[in-house]
Every structure is written in C-alpha cells, then in structure tokens.
Amino acid sequence: MGGKAKGMACPRLKGVQRRLKKYRFTRARATRILATPWDQAALSRGGHVAWRCHALPFRMPDGDYMRLAVLLSFLLLCALAPSSQATPLHEGWQPVDGLQIFYREGGNPDDPTVVFLHGNPLSSLMYVDVMETLARTGHVHVIAMDYPSFGYSDAPDHQRYAYTFDHLAQTVDGFLKARHITRYSLYMQDYGVPVGFRLMTMHPDSIAAVMVQNGVIHLDGFPSAQDPQGELRQHWEHRNAAVDSRRAAYVRSLPYPSAADRDDEDHAGPDALMQMTAAAQRPGIIDARNDLWFDYGNNVKRYPAWQSLLKRLNVPVLVLWGNKDQFFTTPGAFAYKRDAPQAEIHILDSTHFATLDAPDTVAGLVNEFLAAHRDALK
C-alpha cells in the first residue's frame, strides 16, 4: 500500500544522503550509486518504477554532482512509492469441481478480504475499477470470480451442470476454499445477493460485513414479483415456455456494440456489453440462463429466512442503491433497515450497475465503511 511503501523508502533516501556526506562526489561514484538495483527492490514490494539509470552519459564538473545527486535522490523517493496509476489486480483461472473458474484479485492476502459477487448478465468485469481503488488505497484484499457460463469461466452444458442458485453457491464456496479464504466481507449485486446469502447460511461465522448494491431479499424493491398472479411469479411456479422463448430471442438479437446500435441505459459501457453479449451468445448458454431464471423463484421463497439470518448475524451492513434502477427499486434499499437497524443506506444518482456508472463514488463509500469497521473485519 502507498503508506507502507513510502515509509520503506525513507531509509533508502537516508542511505543516499549518508553517501553524499561521506564521499567527494565524482562522476565514477555517482555512477556506482545510480547503478544500485533499488528499482528491483521497489518492484518486489509492489511499487512501480518507470525509469532506471545505470550511468551518466555526459561529463560535468565534479562540483555539480552534489546538486545532481540531491535531485536524483528526490526522484528515487518518488520512484520507490507505488504509482497511483498502477493496476494492482491480477487474473487467473481456478479449478473447481472440474470447471475452470475465472477470477480477478488484488491487494495483500494478509489484509481483510472482500469477496465481490457479480450480477446478471455481467461478470467480475463490473467490479474492476472499484477493486483497483480498494486494493490501492483501502488496505484490503479483494477478489471476484465469474460464475459458470458468465464472463470467462467455463460454460458447461445445462444437462451436465445444474444451473440453480444452490449449485452456483456451491461452486463459489468451492472456489473460496480452493483459494484458502475463510473469513471475508461480501459485496453483492443482483444475482450476487442470492448467491451470497446462501454462503452466509452455510458459513455464518465466516462473514465479517455485508455490502449490498441493487439486490433484494424483500419484495419491497421487486415490483415485477409482487403480484402472486403475475406472469413472473406464475412462471416460477409453472415454467412458461413463452417466457423462455422471449428471453432467448432477446439474447440472439443483441448486436455488437457500436454508435449505431448503442442501447446502454444502465451505463455499463461498451466493454462490459461486449463481454456480456459474447458470453450469452455462446452455444447452449441461453438454456443455462433460462434454467437459472426459472430457479430464481426459490430465492423469493427464502426471503423470510434470509431476513432472519441478517438480523441474527448483527454484522456491519452497507446498502448502496442506484436510484435509476427500474427493476430493483429504492424501497428495496430501505427494507434492509428492518432486519439490520445498523445498516448504512446510500441512494446514488446512478443505475443498476453503479460500480460501472459511478465507480469512484462506490469505492469511496466502501472505503469509508471498511475503515470505520476495521476491527470487525479481522
């Protein structure tokens, strides 16, 4: 982290100053000091070094080397500090039950961990900007994975892998075990909420804090599901082939993102839309997604149990909500107060995908929340 690296840079600068006092500063001695491989030491600590100097390619009077060395020692201090533009995330695939699960990770694993669970129809890509900021400034370890058939994870056929929320949660749980993550806070959006609450049910003692963004465990914020006789609730009771067909036709109609075909009311951005389209249009994926949407009805049935669970856990709770979301509406944010009176509620001038639309705002609020509850995260 920035503070640690700067603190470690001070002894290095003092070492340069000691050399300046001890020696008459000639060109040869300047070359030896400048050739010291401190840039490699900085890189090993996670810093970013944009330059390397091994010799002076010009000649000047010896008296000017002192002034040059003072300037270079200042530049050395700046170079040893991590760049604010550095990208602290790395990516990979983790084998889980025969599947390759894609993930993004950053920060020091010894710091408190935040697990990000993405929504539908995106992937861990929706969290990149927020995760980078937290890893760089929040002294936290961040990690997010793509569920099977989402993003860059494997997409097994729905006849081989049961696309239910129970199964997704089992896969995510297996991923966390494979990564040796046993204590963590959750940041959940959309589909991430039913996945995360299943993890909380399985491992309540593992949960340090709960963060929710535009995802529901109350019908208050889910207008289209409030009528038991409505099409959606009826579909969840008796699967409707017409609903499946409409969803499949919509996916097939998704265009390559362009200025002429831009329909981005959620402000997700063309990169996220491109990945979403490519992932959803893979052969067989719409069948998997339709299975998962049909299973969403089982989440609604569990809302009362999840509300009781949140009340029993009594952990720090943060609720962020984009107020332009027409699917999961703002009453869903305030409903969390019934189960978690300690919850902090922030209504944002943003969309369903606030981490893409307003990443700096989200990262700032999450950073403040985590800092305020630092002791609870351990």
Side-chain angles (χ1 to χ4, degrees):
M1 302 295 176
K4 293 181 181 177
K6 289 180 182 177
M8 295 173 73
C10 292
R12 307 290 186 187
L13 181 56
K14 291 177 181 177
V16 172
Q17 293 169 335
R18 283 196 298 270
R19 290 184 182 211
L20 297 179
K21 292 178 181 178
K22 184 175 180 181
Y23 298 110
R24 177 175 175 271
F25 213 73
T26 65
R27 180 177 187 277
R29 284 176 178 146
T31 300
R32 285 199 297 274
I33 291 178
L34 293 172
T36 304
W38 291 339
D39 49 354
Q40 295 300 319
L43 287 171
S44 72
R45 292 195 302 273
H48 175 74
V49 176
W51 55 270
R52 187 182 303 180
C53 183
H54 294 287
L56 296 177
F58 51 86
R59 183 174 296 278
M60 65 175 69
D62 282 350
D64 289 339
Y65 279 108
M66 182 67 73
R67 287 189 291 275
L68 175 64
V70 171
L71 174 61
L72 289 176
S73 65
F74 172 74
L75 292 175
L76 200 70
L77 175 60
C78 295
L80 288 169
S83 166
S84 62
Q85 302 303 315
T87 301
L89 300 185
H90 62 271
E91 300 86 19
W93 280 265
Q94 174 66 51
V96 179
D97 296 332
L99 300 178
Q100 292 291 336
I101 300 300
F102 179 81
Y103 68 93
R104 306 172 195 270
E105 185 175 22
N108 185 346
D110 292 332
D111 285 331
T113 294
V114 179
V115 175
F116 288 81
L117 300 175
H118 70 79
N120 177 62
L122 295 184
S123 68
S124 61
L125 182 65
M126 65 183 286
Y127 291 130
V128 167
D129 287 348
V130 171
M131 290 173 65
E132 286 180 350
T133 299
L134 294 177
R136 189 172 59 243
T137 65
H139 299 284
V140 291
H141 171 230
V142 293
I143 191 165
M145 75 295 300
D146 295 348
Y147 313 136
S149 86
F150 290 83
Y152 299 123
S153 287
D154 282 355
D157 184 87
H158 71 143
Q159 300 292 341
R160 183 166 70 87
Y161 181 96
Y163 284 90
T164 66
F165 283 89
D166 282 348
H167 203 179
L168 287 190
Q170 291 170 13
T171 300
V172 172
D173 186 44
F175 170 86
L176 295 176
K177 289 177 179 175
R179 305 297 301 172
H180 308 291
I181 296 171
T182 58
R183 175 77 172 168
Y184 49 88
S185 300
L186 286 171
Y187 188 106
M188 308 170 282
Q189 190 262 0
D190 193 291
Y191 274 17
V193 171
V195 172
F197 270 84
R198 282 170 169 82
L199 294 175
M200 292 160 62
T201 301
M202 287 188 282
H203 309 293
D205 293 337
S206 295
I207 307 303
V210 170
M211 291 167 278
V212 175
Q213 184 239 307
N214 292 77
V216 297
I217 62 168
H218 309 84
L219 285 175
D220 304 50
F222 201 171
S224 58
Q226 289 173 357
D227 182 2
Q229 301 307 314
E231 182 184 62
L232 191 53
R233 292 281 290 274
Q234 286 299 302
H235 172 67
W236 290 335
E237 292 295 330
H238 310 285
R239 190 163 181 171
N240 185 342
V243 172
D244 285 350
S245 296
R246 279 204 310 268
R247 288 169 52 83
Y250 170 74
V251 167
R252 287 194 296 268
S253 73
L254 292 172
Y256 189 94
S258 68
D261 294 303
R262 183 164 184 177
D263 180 13
D264 187 14
E265 63 181 15
D266 285 320
H267 302 169
D271 292 341
L273 293 177
M274 182 67 255
Q275 191 202 59
M276 174 198 76
T277 300
Q281 290 180 344
R282 287 177 290 178
I285 295 306
I286 187 54
D287 297 321
R289 300 288 177 84
N290 279 340
D291 287 354
L292 195 57
W293 183 234
F294 173 64
D295 187 60
Y296 199 97
N298 288 317
N299 297 331
V300 176
K301 295 174 183 177
R302 298 190 189 192
Y303 283 178
W306 291 342
Q307 294 160 16
S308 298
L309 172 64
L310 185 59
K311 188 177 298 184
R312 291 196 307 273
L313 283 180
N314 194 32
V315 297
V317 176
L318 174 68
V319 180
L320 307 178
W321 215 275
N323 62 5
K324 298 176 183 176
D325 190 342
Q326 299 301 308
F327 195 74
F328 290 144
T329 55
T330 52
F334 297 108
Y336 280 97
K337 275 282 192 181
R338 295 202 295 265
D339 315 310
Q342 75 278 18
E344 299 177 28
I345 312 289
H346 296 272
I347 306 302
L348 312 179
D349 182 22
S350 188
T351 68
H352 184 70
F353 296 112
T355 55
L356 290 167
D357 180 50
D360 292 343
T361 300
V362 172
L365 290 169
V366 171
N367 244 338
E368 291 175 5
F369 172 77
L370 295 176
H373 299 284
R374 190 75 181 177
D375 291 341
L377 306 183
K378 298 175 182 177

